[in-house]
Amino acid sequence: MKKIFTFSFLLIFSCGFSQDFVSVYFAQTYAKFNFKDQYGNDTVKLKSVAGSAYGVNYKRIYDKGFFVSGEFGYKNYSVASDFSNLNLGWSLDYLDLSVGGGYIYKKTKIQPYVGASLYDAYLYKAFQTIGSQSFDITANNVFKTNDIGINGFAGIIHSFSEIASLFFQVGYSKGLTNMETNPKQTTTNSALSFRFGMSFVIEKNKNKYNFMFKDQPSF
């Protein structure tokens, strides 16, 4: 996986004519944990609890609309369950690195885009709530600290100046690894996210401009 990320970042910084953007974002996440016991039974019903995410994104957009990107951020996955009238909850905090690409349609004022990426996330904090009490379970090794998965996303972006744009994005993430350290149990995650943010041109000058803004129709 490290070789994939290294190759991807080399690709981002080694291509020809393009425009570079850096974005900051905030997102609302709704995670789902799929749990199965050693017999393959789904014995615990978990519901999503709203979490948050934020981070920074680097994007290189080419003249034809294709782009490659790299991103670093924080995300929270939270779920809850009612078991014997006792409120149970889990909250997992991840640091997330992803690389990917996609396509943006630049010929309208509000520009749609789609894309996909691979992510590698590090679990640095995990809490379990039982009733009104909360416990840090990071040191108990209940969950693995590494989670690898894929992201798919679609959104719209509007450039309101030669240096800045606003965007809204809907994303879906799917973990590909078993979160459990107990080999007799399996838990995988997925999440729906709604992202808002701002994107800025890097090094604006006479040779580097926001061509997404310049190419917009005048009507």
Side-chain angles (χ1 to χ4, degrees):
M1 181 56 65
K2 291 183 179 179
K3 291 183 179 180
I4 294 177
F5 285 121
T6 301
F7 174 77
S8 299
F9 278 115
L10 288 175
L11 177 64
I12 290 174
F13 289 104
S14 64
C15 299
F17 177 76
S18 58
Q19 181 68 70
D20 299 333
F21 296 82
V22 62
S23 303
V24 291
Y25 67 85
F26 171 81
Q28 200 85 64
T29 63
Y30 297 90
K32 181 180 180 181
F33 290 180
N34 299 303
F35 171 81
K36 292 184 179 180
D37 62 19
Q38 59 183 321
Y39 304 107
N41 299 318
D42 184 3
T43 57
V44 180
K45 300 298 182 182
L46 302 172
K47 61 182 180 180
S48 297
V49 177
S52 61
Y54 49 83
V56 60
N57 175 285
Y58 168 83
K59 190 179 276 88
R60 173 163 284 189
I61 304 178
Y62 300 96
D63 193 33
K64 298 298 184 181
F66 295 99
F67 66 83
V68 291
S69 64
E71 182 173 298
F72 178 75
Y74 156 87
K75 66 183 180 184
N76 171 263
Y77 283 178
S78 295
V79 295
S81 175
D82 295 326
F83 180 76
S84 298
N85 297 321
L86 181 64
N87 292 325
L88 299 175
W90 293 264
S91 177
L92 279 61
D93 293 333
Y94 287 96
L95 295 178
D96 186 275
L97 176 67
S98 65
V99 292
Y103 176 78
I104 182 168
Y105 184 76
K106 305 192 298 92
K107 296 183 179 180
T108 56
K109 287 189 175 182
I110 298 178
Q111 301 158 344
Y113 63 90
V114 295
S117 63
L118 294 171
Y119 75 79
D120 192 348
Y122 171 72
L123 177 65
Y124 72 94
K125 189 183 296 184
F127 287 93
Q128 182 179 23
T129 302
I130 302 176
S132 60
Q133 295 183 310
S134 183
F135 304 92
D136 186 348
I137 60 173
T138 307
N140 296 338
N141 295 321
V142 176
F143 297 111
K144 294 177 181 177
T145 57
N146 187 251
D147 180 44
I148 296 172
I150 56 175
N151 301 311
F153 54 87
I156 54 174
I157 186 168
H158 174 63
S159 301
F160 59 87
S161 77
E162 292 188 354
I163 62 171
S165 307
L166 289 172
F167 66 88
F168 170 73
Q169 177 178 303
V170 178
Y172 178 78
S173 300
K174 177 63 177 178
L176 302 178
T177 58
N178 179 15
M179 299 167 57
E180 298 277 354
T181 56
N182 183 352
K184 296 182 179 181
Q185 298 178 164
T186 302
T187 300
T188 58
N189 67 65
S190 59
L192 184 66
S193 64
F194 300 92
R195 178 180 295 192
F196 302 87
M198 293 191 68
S199 182
F200 304 92
V201 176
I202 299 176
E203 297 183 21
K204 179 184 179 297
N205 54 47
K206 65 179 181 180
N207 295 319
K208 285 199 170 185
Y209 57 90
N210 186 348
F211 60 70
M212 289 168 55
F213 179 81
K214 183 175 180 180
D215 288 348
Q216 291 181 17
S218 58
F219 55 88

